[in-house]
Amino acid sequence: MRLATLRTGKSYILYDKDSLCDAEQAPQIGPSTFDPDWWLAQGRVTGQAPGRGASLFLDADTGEEWVLRPYRRGGMVARFSDARYLWTGLERTRAFREMRLTADLLARDLPVPRPVAASVTRHGLTYEAALLTVRIPGARALASLLENGEADDTLLQRVGATIRRFHDVGLDHVDLNARNLLVDNSGKVWLIDLDRCRLRRDGDWKGRNLERLERSLDKLTNCVTARNAVKQVSEGYTEGYSA
């Protein structure tokens, strides 16, 4: 990937030069690239993902689909503003940090969606942000597969092995749950939503990641199924089955 930064008005865009262009070529880049209404007017919104912030699936007109995800706050603070964050510097914004981290992991040949661009629009002491990534064709959340009885032991072991790969390079995924693990048509496991995640030295955070995933599995399945899912994921993580 070749990352570059473009400033236009109050907006700063970090983008992959191999995916987007700021010259007289298509697809071009600008504030409209992150505007859902612009994509709607073009008739290029193909769907919507569940969850906070309502991510949109977009026809990129390049043979790919993209995912446009606005950054949204949760909890009590969202009552005051669900889309604004405190400005502490461009490279410390959530969008730029996630874009750079995702590009780093991709360069290490880890299964993350290819990042396309991150946008930050400053409003004095606050900012709004959004992220564009390539949609993984045919991918479904592990949560959906579990709910429909489509996750067998082999897949769950592969989930564990995939998590181990990320942990081995030091990725602390602060929201590791069954909805942020995707499985494509070939059975390959992907990890998404790297907001607030970071690379760290070895530590107790690995156990906390796995505990968070275990709680997620408990919520999705009955006790017997959840225990088996946790067991298989743990085996794959410990033994390092092929991911």
Side-chain angles (χ1 to χ4, degrees), residues 88-109:
T88 58
L90 183 60
E91 288 297 334
R92 298 185 67 181
T93 58
R94 291 168 77 149
F96 270 45
R97 290 176 67 178
E98 184 172 359
M99 176 83 180
R100 291 197 186 280
L101 175 60
T102 308
D104 184 357
L105 294 172
L106 188 70
R108 298 171 189 244
D109 199 30

Side-chain angles (χ1 to χ4, degrees), residues 156-162 164 231-241:
L156 292 167
Q157 290 166 3
R158 199 155 54 244
V159 167
T162 300
R164 175 65 179 270
K231 178 178 180 292
Q232 298 304 327
V233 170
S234 179
E235 284 189 9
Y237 183 91
T238 302
E239 300 298 331
Y241 295 115

Side-chain angles (χ1 to χ4, degrees), residues 50-51 139-152 155-156 159 163 175-184 189-192 212-222 225-226 229 233:
R140 296 173 59 192
L142 175 62
S144 174
L145 297 174
L146 285 166
E147 289 170 337
N148 290 287
E150 299 176 64
D152 60 20
L155 172 58
L156 292 167
V159 167
I163 296 170
D175 192 20
L176 187 63
N177 64 66
R179 300 195 186 281
N180 286 334
L181 288 157
L182 304 185
V183 182
D184 67 18
V189 180
W190 301 74
L191 186 61
I192 65 169
R212 188 176 184 88
L213 177 59
E214 182 176 346
R215 291 194 297 271
S216 170
L217 296 174
D218 284 340
K219 292 177 182 178
L220 288 168
T221 56
N222 62 50
T225 304
V233 170

Side-chain angles (χ1 to χ4, degrees), residues 7-237:
R7 180 176 181 180
T8 172
K10 297 186 297 182
S11 296
Y12 302 83
I13 300 172
L14 178 64
Y15 66 100
D16 174 22
K17 294 176 70 173
D18 295 323
S19 300
L20 290 166
C21 182
D22 60 5
E24 294 298 322
Q25 301 178 38
Q28 295 182 9
I29 189 170
S32 62
T33 310
F34 303 88
D35 182 357
D37 290 337
W38 183 86
W39 291 96
L40 284 166
Q42 302 294 315
R44 291 165 60 185
V45 175
T46 61
Q48 181 172 310
R52 186 169 68 236
S55 298
L56 297 181
F57 301 138
L58 311 172
D59 176 5
D61 199 26
T62 60
E64 296 177 329
E65 280 191 303
W66 291 346
V67 181
L68 174 59
R69 192 185 88 225
Y71 286 80
R72 290 291 183 265
R73 309 188 76 146
M76 294 291 291
V77 71
R79 296 184 180 183
F80 302 97
S81 175
D82 70 342
R84 296 278 182 103
Y85 297 86
L86 180 65
W87 177 270
T88 58
L90 183 60
E91 288 297 334
R92 298 185 67 181
T93 58
R94 291 168 77 149
F96 270 45
R97 290 176 67 178
E98 184 172 359
M99 176 83 180
R100 291 197 186 280
L101 175 60
T102 308
D104 184 357
L105 294 172
L106 188 70
R108 298 171 189 244
D109 199 30
L110 286 162
V112 293
R114 180 164 57 85
V116 176
S119 171
V120 171
T121 302
R122 188 175 180 182
H123 304 283
L125 296 177
T126 63
Y127 70 92
E128 295 177 289
L131 182 71
L132 272 175
T133 57
V134 174
R135 187 180 184 188
I136 302 164
R140 296 173 59 192
L142 175 62
S144 174
L145 297 174
L146 285 166
E147 289 170 337
N148 290 287
E150 299 176 64
D152 60 20
D153 289 354
T154 300
L155 172 58
L156 292 167
Q157 290 166 3
R158 199 155 54 244
V159 167
T162 300
I163 296 170
R164 175 65 179 270
R165 288 183 61 196
F166 282 98
H167 278 182
D168 283 349
V169 302
L171 180 72
D172 178 6
H173 196 296
V174 297
D175 192 20
L176 187 63
N177 64 66
R179 300 195 186 281
N180 286 334
L181 288 157
L182 304 185
V183 182
D184 67 18
N185 291 330
S186 70
K188 182 177 179 177
V189 180
W190 301 74
L191 186 61
I192 65 169
D193 194 356
L194 301 173
D195 181 27
R196 299 180 295 115
C197 301
R198 56 177 173 154
L199 296 175
R200 305 179 62 182
R201 293 181 179 178
D202 196 15
D204 294 341
W205 56 267
K206 293 182 178 180
R208 291 194 292 271
N209 282 186
L210 296 172
E211 289 168 3
R212 188 176 184 88
L213 177 59
E214 182 176 346
R215 291 194 297 271
S216 170
L217 296 174
D218 284 340
K219 292 177 182 178
L220 288 168
T221 56
N222 62 50
C223 292
V224 174
T225 304
R227 282 198 298 269
N228 180 66
V230 170
K231 178 178 180 292
Q232 298 304 327
V233 170
S234 179
E235 284 189 9
Y237 183 91

